[in-house]
Amino acid sequence: MAKQPRSLSGKVVVVTGGGRGIGAATAAALVAKGAGVAIGDVDLETAKATALRLGGGTIARFLDVTDRPGFTAFLDDVETTLGPIDVLVNNAGIMPLSAVEDESDATAIRQLELNLHGVIHGSKEAIRRMKPRGSGHIVNVASVAGKGGFPGGATYCAVKHGVVGFSEAIRLELRGTGIEVSCVMPSLVATELTAGVADSPFVKRAQPEDVADALVAALQVPVFDVFVPKSTGYITQFMAAFPRSAREWMARRLKADRLLIDAAGGHDRAAYEARAAASTPHAEDQIAEKAAA
């Protein structure tokens, strides 16, 4: 018998990086289900505009997830305003592209702090708040890049592998506590993050709404692995049965190994790369300290 979908009406949901792209689409889908949504984003003006457009009591606050005390204070503020947090969606992330030898230390640090450490800290904070109540749901947005390696995005792949592994581990740690964990792994999505990246020859580019719908479905009927589109999950499982040499041959044959590296440094990505470089104001202190050492 199919499980009865859980109602999201009245649930308090936090979406990091919720001002645009997948985050904004997720916030919209949640509001449509009756949830009370808090958007956290380093671009406060965009976050406010998104919250105003969505209505439903959606609130927007400044959030730099690399500022861990600030992240904690943000969650405290949300709980004061909307009530105890039922769902945390760790969505904030960036994808700078370059050959690994051309990547600066600053770019690597930004990704480690935002894409990985931000997820770890957010999850810890969610657990601390949810565990005493015996309920809650943590959703970590990773990527199919967390299941493979793609030239041109080596550090991005590293951090997304980290998000997948971290999510798998805390899911097992939290068994029996009432806290659910889901890991969302989109393929290419039509957002600014994939600007200049060619379409995959074997997987259709998803829309942000596709990811949002899959994420909401995982909240209603809890599931850990959330691939978008679903076919990427089947492809991942199928390819895992072959030796590495065969998998790499197939990637070269389909030119999947060129998707990110060919986009790196392209004119189409200039605006996104500039915004990504400005997305971690708190982490810049660490970057400056490292440069001065």
Side-chain angles (χ1 to χ4, degrees), residues 13-15 18-19 23-24 26-32 34-40 47-61 81-82:
V13 185
V14 170
V15 181
T26 298
L30 289 163
V31 170
V37 178
I39 293 172
K48 285 181 175 179
T50 298
L52 182 63
R53 172 172 57 84
L54 297 181
T58 304
I59 65 171
R61 300 287 188 270
T81 305
L82 298 181

Side-chain angles (χ1 to χ4, degrees), residues 229-249:
K230 285 185 178 181
S231 60
T232 58
Y234 303 137
I235 292 170
T236 299
Q237 292 176 348
F238 176 76
M239 294 300 292
F242 292 89
R244 181 172 298 279
S245 59
R247 297 198 303 270
E248 292 179 350
W249 177 85

Side-chain angles (χ1 to χ4, degrees), residues 10-76:
K11 299 295 185 182
V12 175
V13 185
V14 170
V15 181
T16 72
R20 53 165 56 85
I22 291 172
T26 298
L30 289 163
V31 170
K33 295 294 184 180
V37 178
I39 293 172
D41 203 292
V42 73
D43 183 348
L44 182 56
E45 292 308 309
T46 296
K48 285 181 175 179
T50 298
L52 182 63
R53 172 172 57 84
L54 297 181
T58 304
I59 65 171
R61 300 287 188 270
F62 174 83
L63 174 63
D64 174 2
V65 300
T66 70
D67 177 2
R68 286 181 280 284
F71 197 166
T72 299
F74 161 79
L75 295 175
D76 288 341

